[in-house]
Amino acid sequence: MGPGKKGRCRKEGPGRGRRAWIIRGSGSSRQGWVGSVESSKRSANVTRQRQIEQILPALAAGSCFHPAFILSRRFSSRTRATSREEKNLQGFLEQPKEKWVESAFEVDGPYYFTVLALHILPPEQWRATRVEILRRLLVTSQARAVAPGGATRLTDKAVKDYSAYRSSLLFWALVDLIYNMFKKVPTSNTEGGWSCSLAEYIRHNDMPIYEAADKALKTFQEEFMPVETFSEFLDVAGLLSEITDPESFLKDLLNSVP
């Protein structure tokens, strides 16, 4: 690994993954061993694909999820843009409520900025802003439920059934679980900050990330997916200390939006 410039992320070669060593032997035994390994790999891939398929429907919160996913793939190679993206995220968080409904239908709306936060906000800043981001996602769900074709004002402020908010809540929960996966990442004060620290951690910690991802997936499937009420969701997410009255919280939130 060559030294990189101070304060910038360094590009490296492939990470240190697990290597497959083929034991030399007779042609037939070697062929049978390789076939067994390939069969195991295919089985593992099928299992993983099924797990992904179970999660994605819950996250299919409109077309905004697609560009958010693309951003998660692209931003890791653009860490020098962190300062600009931080300003964009701050602008989103400071957006007046008069703009909340309109932004619910934009490509770079709440779902986009929730994923962006994952790339540039260190865990302590996420914890400080995650309830505000949750508010934006809840308003987005309400706006899309009452005006699927788009709107600039919230014409129906009546609290809906949990199913109307489920996809945005699960989306938020997944991001929170991912933050928990990377709780050991050191916060960097150099240029690029959290983005660089996160990229470096991902490059050098294949197995810890793999194990943490399995744990996060299990939590998501067993604790968040079965939830049926907003108050139960807040309990599972550990937010009842911040949102002590779930019913009033949601009602007051919707009534505060023009």
Side-chain angles (χ1 to χ4, degrees), residues 36-254:
S36 176
V37 170
E38 291 302 319
S39 177
S40 298
K41 286 182 178 179
R42 284 194 297 270
S43 177
N45 288 337
V46 169
T47 300
R48 179 61 57 189
Q49 181 63 31
R50 287 175 178 170
Q51 291 173 334
I52 292 173
E53 288 172 353
Q54 289 176 3
I55 290 179
L56 290 182
L59 301 179
S63 59
C64 286
F65 180 72
H66 179 65
F69 175 73
I70 292 176
L71 177 134
S72 72
R73 298 289 300 276
R74 296 176 58 191
F75 189 73
S76 60
S77 63
R78 297 171 54 241
T79 51
R80 284 181 292 181
T82 300
S83 179
R84 182 176 70 251
E85 302 294 1
E86 283 178 342
K87 291 179 181 178
N88 291 339
L89 178 59
Q90 191 61 34
F92 166 77
L93 293 172
E94 295 175 354
Q95 199 172 49
K97 289 185 177 180
E98 289 77 10
K99 296 289 186 180
W100 284 19
V101 174
E102 183 178 354
S103 70
F105 300 94
E106 295 175 349
V107 173
D108 53 345
Y111 290 96
Y112 175 94
F113 281 105
T114 302
V115 176
L116 179 61
L118 180 60
H119 291 77
I120 63 178
L121 292 184
E124 62 271 15
Q125 289 187 30
W126 164 255
R127 286 191 292 270
T129 60
R130 62 180 185 170
V131 172
E132 185 63 21
I133 290 177
L134 182 64
R135 287 190 179 96
R136 298 299 301 271
L137 291 171
L138 287 168
V139 170
T140 296
S141 290
Q142 181 80 7
R144 293 183 178 187
V146 302
T152 58
R153 300 181 65 84
L154 201 57
T155 56
D156 182 353
K157 300 182 181 182
V159 176
K160 306 302 177 186
D161 186 74
Y162 175 77
S163 59
Y165 311 103
R166 186 173 185 267
S167 61
S168 62
L169 291 172
L170 291 178
F171 185 93
W172 182 95
L174 185 61
V175 172
D176 197 54
L177 285 170
I178 292 173
Y179 261 108
N180 190 56
M181 283 174 52
F182 297 111
K183 59 186 177 183
K184 294 183 179 180
V185 177
T187 301
S188 173
N189 294 320
T190 60
E191 182 183 354
W194 169 252
S195 296
C196 279
S197 297
L198 182 61
E200 288 296 313
Y201 183 85
I202 290 172
R203 289 187 183 110
H204 300 291
N205 294 274
D206 295 9
M207 288 308 299
I209 292 173
Y210 180 84
E211 292 166 359
D214 273 355
K215 183 178 179 180
L217 177 62
K218 184 177 180 180
T219 300
F220 186 84
Q221 291 176 322
E222 297 182 0
E223 297 186 26
F224 283 101
M225 292 287 285
V227 169
E228 296 181 349
T229 66
F230 181 54
S231 59
E232 185 183 356
F233 173 86
L234 295 179
D235 186 20
V236 174
L239 290 175
L240 285 177
S241 60
E242 299 176 63
I243 304 173
T244 56
D245 189 340
E247 185 175 345
S248 295
F249 172 85
L250 192 50
K251 183 178 180 179
D252 293 344
L253 169 64
L254 298 178

